[in-house]
Amino acid sequence: MSFMEPTGRQGVAEYRWPVEHSQFSNSRVAGVDPVLLQSFRVSARCGCFMQAARSLNIKSTQLRKQLAQLEAQLQCSLFSHSGNGFALSRDGLQLQAQLIALAHERGLPLFEQPLIRLAVAESILHDILGRDLVSLLRRNASVRLDIISLDSELSLRAISADVVVWLAGTDSPLPGPSFAISEPQRLARLDYLPHIAKRYSRVAARPDRLGDLADFMLVQWQHDRQVDAFGPWNSLVEQRLAGVVQLHSYELMLEMIRCSACIGLLPHYMSQFDRGLVALPGLFKQPMQRQVWMAVNADSRNEAEVQGIVELIHNTFNERREWFES
């Protein structure tokens, strides 16, 4: 047969890429510590070791150690590092796909964090606890926390929470929460004094007697009108026929004192919280004091997450102990 002679049409076979089977069998993955697999799964999902550590509520160094242990057990490299980030290697992609398949196959539920309810007096939340609560959330991205601001005695009596921090008299925690609580603990005693911004009052011209306040505007947080311990200050404000501002917002009251040459009643520690504010002692003969109290819900006081919040609050007040020593 001539080489030029046409032949019948031959069947054409479709080209197929070689199938690459995963080296991670179900039995092999099942033999690995679940903590290590969870560290890898979260890291792969976040694409960032720092964010993954936050989600797992561990330090970045601990996360990297766990991932190194996982690579040692599987005898492969799961990540390709480049610059400040990383990508999954071929083995890492295979392991991620295997874990996703296993999760769908088993119908594994998402891990649910318990909801912790924290109720705090508004001024304490803003001035003292706010910064450490932000730090907690920065470390632990998976926490479930319901933060309730208490701005009145009525709100204190109406709420239900796991941990409560409130302000009351120096001799008794009453009035306190209406639900069953552990024995209240005293965290600090607060002395209250009128404050003014330094930039609006030279040292030589600062008022040192009540008559000197006539030339200044007074600002009052409405919540303080109901506090018996603030009787001297409240009486002064009520006598004013001009030059007085009543506010329902604690933060706005602070801003008025900082930026509007107003004088307002604040805890003595405020000059530690804001170096631009200065206390005006000696204006009132009668001291104005309150006590910070904390209690834990009797039903949830033994839960680890609740104890963690209690420990955070104790540490915060201990670290700021000099704020409350006058």
Side-chain angles (χ1 to χ4, degrees):
M1 181 176 68
S2 171
F3 288 106
M4 300 298 294
E5 182 180 348
T7 61
R9 181 176 178 85
Q10 303 293 320
V12 179
E14 180 182 355
Y15 179 78
R16 297 179 183 273
W17 290 95
V19 178
E20 185 176 6
H21 296 284
S22 173
Q23 63 164 315
F24 303 110
S25 63
N26 288 356
S27 59
R28 186 181 182 192
V29 172
V32 178
D33 185 346
V35 174
L36 302 184
L37 292 177
Q38 176 69 357
S39 297
F40 170 78
R41 185 185 296 110
V42 175
S43 298
R45 183 179 70 241
C46 293
C48 171
F49 290 132
M50 182 175 295
Q51 180 62 27
R54 288 184 61 234
S55 180
L56 293 166
N57 193 24
I58 60 177
K59 294 182 178 180
S60 296
T61 52
Q62 182 180 352
L63 173 63
R64 289 178 178 271
K65 287 180 181 179
Q66 292 177 351
L67 295 175
Q69 290 177 341
L70 179 61
E71 290 181 328
Q73 287 188 23
L74 298 177
Q75 297 181 347
C76 65
S77 177
L78 301 173
F79 302 95
S80 298
H81 300 274
S82 59
N84 295 327
F86 70 84
L88 294 180
S89 66
R90 185 179 64 176
D91 290 332
L93 290 171
Q94 288 184 9
L95 178 59
Q96 183 187 38
Q98 185 74 14
L99 293 176
I100 292 174
L102 283 173
H104 286 298
E105 178 183 332
R106 299 173 183 176
L108 297 178
L110 293 174
F111 180 74
E112 181 180 356
Q113 290 280 2
L115 175 64
I116 307 301
R117 297 161 299 167
L118 171 63
V120 187
E122 185 171 349
S123 58
I124 302 300
L125 179 61
H126 180 275
D127 302 343
I128 299 175
L129 289 177
R131 184 175 300 176
D132 285 352
L133 287 173
V134 170
S135 297
L136 170 66
L137 301 181
R138 198 161 50 227
R139 296 191 307 268
N140 185 0
S142 63
V143 69
R144 291 182 66 204
L145 188 61
D146 185 7
I147 302 177
I148 305 164
S149 177
L150 305 175
D151 60 0
S152 67
E153 179 183 327
L154 181 61
S155 63
L156 173 62
R157 301 290 295 173
I159 59 95
S160 176
D162 297 294
V163 182
V164 190
V165 179
W166 74 99
L167 289 163
T170 56
D171 55 349
S172 170
L174 299 177
S178 59
F179 56 89
I181 58 175
S182 62
E183 183 178 355
Q185 305 173 45
R186 290 184 293 182
L187 298 178
R189 189 194 71 186
L190 306 184
D191 292 281
Y192 288 79
L193 293 171
H195 282 69
I196 190 172
K198 291 180 180 178
R199 60 177 172 172
Y200 291 118
S201 177
R202 293 180 293 107
V203 176
R206 284 176 191 160
D208 55 10
R209 57 189 183 89
L210 286 181
D212 297 337
L213 296 181
D215 297 322
F216 293 88
M217 175 174 284
L218 304 184
V219 59
Q220 183 183 45
W221 185 29
Q222 285 282 65
H223 168 63
D224 288 346
R225 296 181 64 184
Q226 311 302 323
V227 179
D228 293 339
F230 298 159
W233 170 261
N234 291 335
S235 296
L236 174 67
V237 173
E238 290 172 2
Q239 294 169 11
R240 277 290 180 103
L241 300 179
V244 63
V245 179
Q246 303 277 356
L247 295 169
H248 290 270
S249 169
Y250 181 76
E251 289 190 56
L252 184 55
M253 179 190 66
L254 288 178
E255 197 64 18
M256 293 285 287
I257 299 173
R258 291 188 185 108
C259 305
S260 301
C262 293
I263 293 178
L265 189 68
L266 295 172
H268 187 265
Y269 63 70
M270 190 52 66
S271 57
Q272 299 277 353
F273 177 79
D274 187 335
R275 301 290 183 178
L277 300 180
V278 61
L280 301 173
L283 295 179
F284 298 97
K285 296 180 179 180
Q286 180 181 345
M288 292 176 281
Q289 300 176 338
R290 302 196 83 189
Q291 193 87 247
V292 184
W293 299 87
M294 178 178 67
V296 184
N297 192 307
D299 294 331
S300 58
R301 59 184 175 183
N302 294 324
E303 295 180 8
E305 293 78 10
V306 172
Q307 289 300 316
I309 294 296
V310 171
E311 182 180 359
L312 179 147
I313 294 171
H314 276 300
N315 290 340
T316 299
F317 275 85
N318 288 334
E319 290 171 0
R320 292 162 174 75
R321 184 56 53 190
E322 70 276 5
W323 285 23
F324 317 120
E325 296 174 353
S326 57

